[in-house]
Coordinates of all heavy atoms in Angstrom, one line a residue:
M125 N 12.4 -69.0 70.8 CA 13.3 -68.0 70.1 C 12.5 -67.7 68.8 O 12.0 -68.5 68.1 CB 14.6 -68.6 69.8 CG 15.5 -67.7 69.0 SD 17.2 -68.2 68.7 CE 17.3 -69.9 69.0
K126 N 12.5 -66.4 68.5 CA 11.9 -65.9 67.3 C 13.0 -65.4 66.3 O 13.2 -64.2 66.2 CB 11.0 -64.7 67.6 CG 9.9 -65.0 68.6 CD 9.3 -63.8 69.1 CE 10.3 -63.0 69.8 NZ 10.1 -62.1 70.8
L127 N 13.6 -66.3 65.7 CA 14.8 -66.0 64.9 C 14.5 -64.8 63.9 O 13.6 -64.9 63.0 CB 15.3 -67.2 64.1 CG 16.6 -67.1 63.4 CD1 17.7 -66.8 64.3 CD2 16.9 -68.4 62.6
F128 N 15.2 -63.8 64.1 CA 15.2 -62.6 63.2 C 13.9 -61.9 63.2 O 13.6 -61.1 62.3 CB 15.6 -62.9 61.8 CG 16.9 -63.7 61.7 CD1 17.0 -64.9 61.2 CD2 18.1 -63.1 62.3 CE1 18.2 -65.6 61.2 CE2 19.3 -63.8 62.2 CZ 19.4 -65.0 61.7
D129 N 13.0 -62.1 64.2 CA 11.7 -61.4 64.3 C 12.0 -60.2 65.2 O 11.7 -60.2 66.4 CB 10.6 -62.3 64.8 CG 9.3 -61.6 64.9 OD1 9.1 -60.6 64.2 OD2 8.4 -62.1 65.7
R130 N 12.5 -59.1 64.6 CA 13.0 -58.0 65.4 C 11.8 -57.2 66.0 O 10.8 -57.0 65.3 CB 13.8 -57.1 64.5 CG 14.9 -57.7 63.7 CD 16.0 -58.5 64.5 NE 16.4 -57.8 65.7 CZ 16.6 -58.4 66.8 NH1 16.5 -59.7 66.9 NH2 17.0 -57.8 67.9
K131 N 11.9 -56.7 67.2 CA 11.0 -55.8 67.8 C 11.2 -54.5 67.1 O 12.3 -54.0 67.0 CB 11.2 -55.7 69.3 CG 10.7 -56.8 70.1 CD 10.9 -56.5 71.6 CE 10.4 -57.7 72.4 NZ 10.6 -57.4 73.8
K132 N 10.1 -53.9 66.7 CA 10.1 -52.5 66.1 C 9.3 -51.6 67.0 O 8.1 -51.8 67.1 CB 9.6 -52.5 64.7 CG 10.3 -53.5 63.7 CD 11.7 -53.0 63.5 CE 12.3 -53.9 62.5 NZ 13.7 -53.8 62.4
D133 N 10.0 -50.7 67.7 CA 9.3 -49.8 68.6 C 9.9 -48.4 68.3 O 11.1 -48.2 68.5 CB 9.6 -50.2 70.0 CG 8.9 -49.4 71.0 OD1 8.3 -48.3 70.7 OD2 8.9 -49.7 72.2
P134 N 9.0 -47.5 67.9 CA 9.5 -46.1 67.5 C 10.2 -45.5 68.7 O 11.0 -44.6 68.6 CB 8.3 -45.4 67.1 CG 7.1 -46.2 67.4 CD 7.6 -47.6 67.6
G135 N 9.8 -45.9 69.9 CA 10.4 -45.3 71.1 C 11.6 -46.1 71.7 O 12.0 -45.9 72.8
S136 N 12.1 -47.0 70.9 CA 13.2 -47.9 71.4 C 14.5 -47.1 71.8 O 15.3 -47.7 72.5 CB 13.5 -49.0 70.4 OG 14.0 -48.5 69.2
E137 N 14.7 -45.9 71.3 CA 15.9 -45.2 71.7 C 15.7 -44.5 73.1 O 16.7 -44.1 73.7 CB 16.2 -44.1 70.6 CG 16.5 -44.7 69.3 CD 17.7 -45.6 69.3 OE1 18.7 -45.3 69.9 OE2 17.6 -46.7 68.7
A138 N 14.5 -44.5 73.6 CA 14.3 -43.8 74.9 C 14.4 -44.9 76.0 O 14.3 -46.1 75.8 CB 13.0 -43.1 74.9
G139 N 14.5 -44.4 77.3 CA 14.5 -45.3 78.4 C 15.8 -45.8 78.8 O 16.9 -45.5 78.2
P140 N 15.9 -46.5 80.0 CA 17.1 -47.0 80.5 C 17.8 -48.0 79.6 O 17.1 -48.7 78.8 CB 16.7 -47.6 81.8 CG 15.3 -47.9 81.7 CD 14.7 -46.9 80.8
Q141 N 19.1 -48.1 79.7 CA 19.8 -49.1 78.9 C 20.9 -49.8 79.6 O 21.4 -49.2 80.6 CB 20.3 -48.5 77.6 CG 21.5 -47.6 77.8 CD 22.0 -47.0 76.5 OE1 21.3 -46.9 75.5 NE2 23.2 -46.5 76.5
V142 N 21.2 -51.0 79.2 CA 22.4 -51.7 79.8 C 23.3 -52.1 78.6 O 22.8 -52.5 77.5 CB 21.9 -53.0 80.5 CG1 23.1 -53.8 80.9 CG2 21.0 -52.7 81.6
V143 N 24.6 -51.8 78.7 CA 25.5 -52.2 77.7 C 26.3 -53.4 78.2 O 26.9 -53.4 79.3 CB 26.4 -51.0 77.3 CG1 27.4 -51.4 76.2 CG2 25.6 -49.8 76.8
L144 N 26.4 -54.4 77.4 CA 27.2 -55.6 77.7 C 28.3 -55.8 76.7 O 28.1 -55.4 75.5 CB 26.3 -56.9 77.6 CG 25.1 -57.0 78.5 CD1 24.3 -58.2 78.2 CD2 25.5 -57.0 80.0
L145 N 29.4 -56.3 77.1 CA 30.5 -56.7 76.2 C 30.4 -58.2 76.0 O 30.3 -58.9 77.0 CB 31.9 -56.3 76.9 CG 32.1 -54.8 77.2 CD1 33.4 -54.6 77.8 CD2 31.9 -54.0 75.9
V146 N 30.4 -58.6 74.8 CA 30.1 -60.0 74.4 C 31.3 -60.5 73.7 O 31.8 -59.9 72.7 CB 28.9 -60.2 73.6 CG1 28.6 -61.6 73.2 CG2 27.7 -59.6 74.3
E147 N 31.8 -61.7 74.1 CA 32.9 -62.4 73.4 C 32.4 -63.7 72.8 O 31.5 -64.3 73.3 CB 34.0 -62.7 74.3 CG 34.7 -61.4 74.9 CD 35.9 -61.7 75.8 OE1 36.3 -62.9 75.9 OE2 36.3 -60.8 76.4
G148 N 33.0 -64.0 71.6 CA 32.7 -65.3 71.0 C 31.8 -65.1 69.7 O 31.5 -66.1 69.1
M149 N 31.5 -63.9 69.4 CA 30.7 -63.7 68.1 C 31.6 -63.7 66.9 O 32.8 -63.3 67.0 CB 30.0 -62.3 68.2 CG 28.9 -62.3 69.2 SD 28.0 -60.7 69.1 CE 29.2 -59.6 69.8
H150 N 31.1 -64.2 65.8 CA 31.9 -64.3 64.6 C 31.3 -63.5 63.5 O 32.0 -63.1 62.5 CB 32.0 -65.8 64.2 CG 32.6 -66.7 65.2 ND1 33.9 -66.6 65.6 CD2 32.0 -67.6 66.0 CE1 34.1 -67.5 66.5 NE2 33.0 -68.1 66.8
C151 N 30.0 -63.2 63.5 CA 29.3 -62.6 62.4 C 28.0 -61.9 62.9 O 27.6 -62.1 64.1 CB 29.0 -63.5 61.3 SG 27.8 -64.8 61.8
S152 N 27.4 -61.2 62.0 CA 26.2 -60.5 62.4 C 25.0 -61.5 62.8 O 24.2 -61.1 63.6 CB 25.7 -59.6 61.3 OG 25.5 -60.3 60.1
S153 N 25.0 -62.7 62.3 CA 24.0 -63.6 62.7 C 24.1 -64.0 64.1 O 23.1 -64.2 64.8 CB 24.1 -64.9 61.8 OG 23.8 -64.6 60.5
C154 N 25.4 -64.0 64.6 CA 25.5 -64.2 66.1 C 24.8 -63.1 66.9 O 24.1 -63.4 67.9 CB 27.0 -64.2 66.4 SG 28.0 -65.6 65.8
G155 N 25.0 -61.9 66.4 CA 24.3 -60.8 67.1 C 22.8 -60.9 67.0 O 22.2 -60.6 68.0
L156 N 22.3 -61.3 65.9 CA 20.8 -61.5 65.8 C 20.3 -62.6 66.8 O 19.3 -62.5 67.4 CB 20.4 -61.8 64.4 CG 20.6 -60.6 63.4 CD1 20.4 -61.1 62.0 CD2 19.7 -59.5 63.8
L157 N 21.1 -63.7 66.9 CA 20.7 -64.7 67.8 C 20.7 -64.2 69.3 O 19.8 -64.5 70.0 CB 21.7 -65.9 67.7 CG 21.6 -66.7 66.4 CD1 22.8 -67.7 66.4 CD2 20.3 -67.5 66.4
I158 N 21.7 -63.4 69.6 CA 21.8 -62.8 71.0 C 20.6 -61.9 71.2 O 19.9 -61.9 72.2 CB 23.1 -62.1 71.2 CG1 24.2 -63.2 71.2 CG2 23.1 -61.3 72.4 CD1 25.6 -62.6 71.2
D159 N 20.3 -61.0 70.2 CA 19.2 -60.1 70.3 C 17.9 -60.8 70.5 O 17.0 -60.4 71.4 CB 19.1 -59.2 69.1 CG 20.3 -58.2 69.0 OD1 20.9 -57.9 70.1 OD2 20.5 -57.7 67.9
D160 N 17.7 -61.9 69.8 CA 16.4 -62.7 69.9 C 16.3 -63.2 71.4 O 15.2 -63.1 71.9 CB 16.4 -63.8 69.0 CG 16.0 -63.4 67.5 OD1 15.5 -62.3 67.4 OD2 16.2 -64.2 66.6
E161 N 17.3 -63.7 71.9 CA 17.3 -64.3 73.3 C 17.0 -63.1 74.3 O 16.2 -63.3 75.2 CB 18.5 -65.0 73.7 CG 18.7 -66.3 73.0 CD 17.7 -67.4 73.4 OE1 17.2 -67.3 74.6 OE2 17.4 -68.3 72.6
L162 N 17.7 -62.0 74.1 CA 17.5 -60.9 75.1 C 16.1 -60.3 75.0 O 15.5 -60.0 76.0 CB 18.5 -59.8 74.8 CG 19.9 -60.2 75.2 CD1 20.9 -59.2 74.6 CD2 20.1 -60.2 76.7
E163 N 15.5 -60.2 73.8 CA 14.2 -59.7 73.6 C 13.1 -60.6 74.1 O 11.9 -60.1 74.3 CB 14.0 -59.2 72.2 CG 14.9 -58.0 71.8 CD 14.8 -57.6 70.4 OE1 14.1 -58.3 69.6 OE2 15.4 -56.6 70.0
D164 N 13.4 -61.8 74.5 CA 12.4 -62.7 75.1 C 12.2 -62.4 76.6 O 11.3 -62.9 77.2 CB 12.8 -64.2 74.9 CG 12.5 -64.6 73.5 OD1 11.7 -64.0 72.8 OD2 13.0 -65.7 73.1
I165 N 13.1 -61.6 77.2 CA 13.1 -61.3 78.6 C 12.0 -60.2 78.8 O 12.0 -59.2 78.2 CB 14.4 -60.9 79.1 CG1 15.5 -62.0 78.9 CG2 14.4 -60.4 80.6 CD1 16.9 -61.6 79.3
A166 N 11.2 -60.5 79.8 CA 10.2 -59.5 80.2 C 10.9 -58.2 80.6 O 11.8 -58.3 81.4 CB 9.3 -60.0 81.3
G167 N 10.4 -57.1 80.1 CA 11.0 -55.8 80.5 C 12.0 -55.3 79.5 O 12.4 -54.1 79.6
V168 N 12.5 -56.1 78.6 CA 13.4 -55.7 77.5 C 12.6 -55.1 76.4 O 11.8 -55.8 75.8 CB 14.3 -56.8 77.1 CG1 15.2 -56.4 75.9 CG2 15.2 -57.3 78.2
R169 N 12.9 -53.9 76.0 CA 12.2 -53.2 74.9 C 12.8 -53.6 73.6 O 12.2 -54.0 72.6 CB 12.2 -51.7 75.1 CG 11.6 -51.0 74.0 CD 11.7 -49.5 74.2 NE 11.0 -49.1 75.4 CZ 10.5 -48.0 75.6 NH1 10.6 -47.0 74.7 NH2 9.9 -47.7 76.7
S170 N 14.2 -53.6 73.5 CA 14.9 -53.9 72.3 C 16.3 -54.2 72.7 O 16.8 -53.9 73.8 CB 14.8 -52.8 71.3 OG 15.5 -51.7 71.7
S171 N 17.0 -54.9 71.7 CA 18.4 -55.2 71.9 C 19.1 -55.0 70.6 O 18.6 -55.3 69.5 CB 18.6 -56.7 72.3 OG 19.9 -57.0 72.4
S172 N 20.3 -54.5 70.6 CA 21.1 -54.2 69.4 C 22.5 -54.7 69.6 O 23.2 -54.1 70.5 CB 21.1 -52.7 69.0 OG 21.9 -52.5 67.9
T173 N 22.9 -55.7 68.9 CA 24.2 -56.3 69.1 C 25.1 -56.1 67.9 O 24.6 -56.3 66.7 CB 24.1 -57.8 69.4 OG1 23.3 -58.0 70.6 CG2 25.5 -58.4 69.6
N174 N 26.3 -55.6 68.1 CA 27.2 -55.4 67.0 C 28.4 -56.4 67.1 O 29.2 -56.3 68.1 CB 27.7 -53.9 67.0 CG 28.6 -53.6 65.9 OD1 29.5 -54.3 65.5 ND2 28.4 -52.4 65.3
A175 N 28.5 -57.3 66.2 CA 29.6 -58.3 66.3 C 31.0 -57.7 66.1 O 31.9 -58.2 66.7 CB 29.3 -59.4 65.2
K176 N 31.1 -56.6 65.4 CA 32.4 -56.0 65.1 C 32.9 -55.4 66.4 O 34.1 -55.5 66.7 CB 32.3 -55.0 64.0 CG 32.1 -55.6 62.6 CD 32.1 -54.5 61.6 CE 31.9 -55.2 60.2 NZ 31.9 -54.2 59.1
T177 N 32.1 -54.7 67.1 CA 32.5 -54.0 68.4 C 32.4 -54.9 69.6 O 33.0 -54.6 70.6 CB 31.7 -52.7 68.6 OG1 30.3 -53.1 68.9 CG2 31.8 -51.8 67.4
G178 N 31.6 -56.0 69.5 CA 31.5 -56.9 70.6 C 30.6 -56.3 71.7 O 30.7 -56.6 72.9
R179 N 29.7 -55.3 71.3 CA 28.8 -54.7 72.3 C 27.4 -54.9 72.0 O 27.0 -55.0 70.9 CB 29.1 -53.2 72.3 CG 30.5 -52.8 72.7 CD 30.7 -51.3 72.5 NE 30.0 -50.5 73.4 CZ 30.4 -50.1 74.6 NH1 31.6 -50.6 75.1 NH2 29.7 -49.4 75.4
T180 N 26.6 -55.1 73.1 CA 25.2 -55.3 73.0 C 24.6 -54.2 73.8 O 24.9 -54.0 75.0 CB 24.7 -56.6 73.6 OG1 25.3 -57.6 72.8 CG2 23.2 -56.7 73.6
T181 N 23.6 -53.4 73.2 CA 22.9 -52.4 74.0 C 21.5 -52.9 74.2 O 20.8 -53.2 73.2 CB 22.9 -51.1 73.2 OG1 24.2 -50.6 73.0 CG2 22.1 -50.0 74.0
V182 N 21.1 -53.0 75.4 CA 19.8 -53.5 75.8 C 19.0 -52.4 76.3 O 19.4 -51.8 77.3 CB 19.9 -54.7 76.8 CG1 18.5 -55.2 77.1 CG2 20.8 -55.8 76.3
R183 N 17.9 -52.1 75.6 CA 17.0 -51.0 76.1 C 15.8 -51.6 76.9 O 15.2 -52.5 76.4 CB 16.5 -50.2 74.9 CG 17.6 -49.5 74.2 CD 17.3 -48.3 73.5 NE 18.4 -47.8 72.6 CZ 19.4 -47.1 73.0 NH1 19.5 -46.7 74.3 NH2 20.4 -46.7 72.2
L184 N 15.6 -51.0 78.0 CA 14.6 -51.5 79.0 C 13.3 -50.7 78.9 O 13.4 -49.5 78.6 CB 15.1 -51.6 80.4 CG 16.5 -52.4 80.5 CD1 17.0 -52.2 81.9 CD2 16.3 -53.8 80.1
E185 N 12.2 -51.3 79.3 CA 11.0 -50.6 79.5 C 11.1 -49.6 80.7 O 11.8 -50.0 81.6 CB 9.8 -51.5 79.7 CG 9.5 -52.5 78.6 CD 8.9 -51.8 77.4 OE1 8.3 -50.7 77.5 OE2 8.9 -52.4 76.3
E186 N 10.5 -48.5 80.6 CA 10.5 -47.5 81.7 C 9.9 -48.2 83.0 O 8.9 -48.9 82.9 CB 9.7 -46.3 81.4 CG 10.3 -45.4 80.4 CD 11.5 -44.6 80.9 OE1 11.7 -44.5 82.1 OE2 12.3 -44.2 80.1
G187 N 10.5 -48.0 84.1 CA 10.0 -48.5 85.4 C 10.2 -50.0 85.6 O 9.6 -50.6 86.5
T188 N 11.0 -50.6 84.7 CA 11.2 -52.1 84.8 C 12.6 -52.4 85.3 O 13.5 -51.8 84.9 CB 11.0 -52.8 83.4 OG1 9.7 -52.5 82.9 CG2 11.2 -54.3 83.5
A189 N 12.7 -53.3 86.2 CA 14.0 -53.7 86.7 C 14.3 -55.1 86.1 O 13.5 -56.0 86.3 CB 13.9 -53.8 88.3
V190 N 15.4 -55.2 85.5 CA 15.8 -56.5 84.9 C 17.2 -56.8 85.4 O 18.1 -55.9 85.4 CB 15.9 -56.4 83.3 CG1 16.4 -57.7 82.8 CG2 14.5 -56.1 82.8
E191 N 17.4 -58.0 86.0 CA 18.7 -58.3 86.6 C 19.7 -58.5 85.5 O 19.5 -59.1 84.4 CB 18.5 -59.7 87.3 CG 17.6 -59.6 88.5 CD 18.3 -58.9 89.7 OE1 19.5 -58.9 89.8 OE2 17.5 -58.2 90.4
I192 N 20.9 -58.0 85.7 CA 22.0 -58.1 84.8 C 22.3 -59.6 84.6 O 22.7 -60.0 83.5 CB 23.3 -57.4 85.3 CG1 23.0 -55.9 85.5 CG2 24.5 -57.6 84.4 CD1 22.8 -55.1 84.2
A193 N 22.2 -60.4 85.6 CA 22.5 -61.8 85.5 C 21.6 -62.5 84.5 O 22.0 -63.4 83.8 CB 22.4 -62.5 86.9
A194 N 20.3 -62.0 84.5 CA 19.4 -62.6 83.5 C 19.8 -62.2 82.1 O 19.6 -63.1 81.2 CB 18.0 -62.1 83.8
L195 N 20.3 -61.0 81.9 CA 20.7 -60.6 80.5 C 22.0 -61.5 80.1 O 22.0 -61.9 79.0 CB 21.1 -59.1 80.5 CG 19.9 -58.2 80.9 CD1 20.4 -56.8 80.9 CD2 18.8 -58.3 79.9
I196 N 22.9 -61.6 81.0 CA 24.1 -62.4 80.7 C 23.7 -63.9 80.4 O 24.2 -64.5 79.5 CB 25.1 -62.3 81.9 CG1 25.7 -60.9 81.9 CG2 26.2 -63.4 81.8 CD1 26.5 -60.6 83.2
A197 N 22.8 -64.4 81.2 CA 22.3 -65.8 81.0 C 21.7 -66.0 79.6 O 21.9 -67.0 78.9 CB 21.4 -66.2 82.1
A198 N 20.9 -64.9 79.2 CA 20.3 -65.0 77.9 C 21.4 -65.0 76.8 O 21.2 -65.7 75.8 CB 19.3 -63.8 77.7
V199 N 22.4 -64.2 76.9 CA 23.5 -64.1 75.9 C 24.1 -65.5 75.9 O 24.4 -66.1 74.8 CB 24.5 -63.1 76.3 CG1 25.8 -63.2 75.4 CG2 23.9 -61.7 76.2
E200 N 24.4 -66.1 77.0 CA 25.1 -67.4 77.0 C 24.2 -68.5 76.5 O 24.7 -69.5 75.9 CB 25.5 -67.7 78.4 CG 26.7 -66.8 78.9 CD 27.1 -66.9 80.3 OE1 26.4 -67.7 81.1 OE2 28.0 -66.3 80.7
Q201 N 22.9 -68.4 76.6 CA 21.9 -69.3 76.1 C 21.9 -69.3 74.5 O 21.6 -70.3 73.9 CB 20.5 -69.1 76.6 CG 19.5 -69.9 76.0 CD 18.6 -70.6 77.0 OE1 18.7 -70.4 78.2 NE2 17.6 -71.3 76.5
A202 N 22.2 -68.1 74.0 CA 22.1 -68.0 72.5 C 23.2 -68.8 71.8 O 23.1 -69.1 70.6 CB 22.3 -66.5 72.2
G203 N 24.3 -69.1 72.5 CA 25.4 -69.9 71.9 C 26.6 -69.9 72.8 O 26.5 -69.7 74.0
E204 N 27.7 -70.1 72.2 CA 29.0 -70.2 73.0 C 29.6 -68.8 73.1 O 30.7 -68.5 72.7 CB 29.9 -71.1 72.3 CG 29.4 -72.6 72.4 CD 30.4 -73.6 71.8 OE1 31.6 -73.2 71.7 OE2 30.0 -74.7 71.5
Y205 N 28.8 -67.9 73.8 CA 29.2 -66.6 74.1 C 29.4 -66.3 75.5 O 28.7 -66.9 76.4 CB 28.1 -65.6 73.5 CG 27.7 -65.9 72.1 CD1 26.4 -66.4 71.9 CD2 28.5 -65.8 71.0 CE1 25.9 -66.7 70.6 CE2 28.1 -66.1 69.8 CZ 26.8 -66.6 69.6 OH 26.4 -66.9 68.3
T206 N 30.2 -65.3 75.9 CA 30.3 -64.9 77.2 C 30.0 -63.4 77.2 O 30.3 -62.7 76.3 CB 31.7 -65.1 77.8 OG1 32.7 -64.4 77.0 CG2 32.0 -66.6 77.9
A207 N 29.4 -62.9 78.3 CA 29.1 -61.5 78.4 C 29.4 -60.9 79.8 O 29.4 -61.7 80.8 CB 27.6 -61.3 78.1
R208 N 29.7 -59.6 79.8 CA 29.9 -58.9 81.1 C 29.4 -57.5 80.9 O 29.4 -57.0 79.8 CB 31.3 -59.0 81.6 CG 32.3 -58.3 80.6 CD 33.7 -58.5 81.1 NE 34.7 -58.1 80.1 CZ 35.1 -56.8 79.9 NH1 34.6 -55.8 80.6 NH2 35.9 -56.5 78.9
P209 N 29.0 -56.8 82.0 CA 28.6 -55.4 81.8 C 29.8 -54.6 81.4 O 30.9 -54.8 81.8 CB 28.2 -55.0 83.3 CG 28.0 -56.3 84.0 CD 28.9 -57.3 83.3
A210 N 29.5 -53.6 80.5 CA 30.6 -52.6 80.1 C 30.8 -51.7 81.2 O 29.9 -51.4 82.0 CB 30.1 -51.9 78.9
D211 N 32.0 -51.2 81.4 CA 32.3 -50.2 82.4 C 31.7 -48.9 82.1 O 31.5 -48.4 81.0 CB 33.8 -50.1 82.7 CG 34.4 -51.4 83.2 OD1 33.6 -52.1 83.9 OD2 35.5 -51.7 82.9

């Protein structure tokens, strides 16, 4: 884990994305822990978690397939959080 070592990619707004609903966050530090875990997954370009809304937006590299289950497992590894895909 690279605590608070955020990926900076000028093209991070482009490409496919997955939105997860996360429960169990208490503050913005929770979101940063989740983002760090998600960004360790191969194929994840960036992650942005908002503790107030309970949403995580994961941006993927073009042409990369990442299993939703792997993203959920990374969120759960970050702490006592649960996640599910947003509708």
Side-chain angles (χ1 to χ4, degrees):
M125 177 173 19
K126 305 168 295 211
L127 188 60
F128 309 118
D129 182 20
R130 312 299 320 138
K131 285 186 182 179
K132 301 293 182 197
D133 182 351
S136 65
E137 296 301 316
Q141 70 179 24
V142 175
V143 178
L144 300 174
L145 301 179
V146 180
E147 294 182 8
M149 292 186 288
H150 304 288
C151 63
S152 59
S153 292
C154 293
L156 291 171
L157 291 170
I158 290 169
D159 290 339
D160 283 343
E161 287 294 331
L162 288 166
E163 290 176 356
D164 283 343
I165 298 173
V168 172
R169 179 181 297 207
S170 66
S171 175
S172 177
T173 301
N174 185 315
K176 288 183 181 179
T177 64
R179 296 174 70 87
T180 297
T181 302
V182 182
R183 300 207 187 274
L184 306 175
E185 297 288 341
E186 288 288 340
T188 301
V190 176
E191 295 287 329
I192 299 292
L195 299 176
I196 291 171
V199 169
E200 293 173 353
Q201 172 132 359
E204 295 185 18
Y205 313 112
T206 59
R208 62 182 170 85
D211 294 330

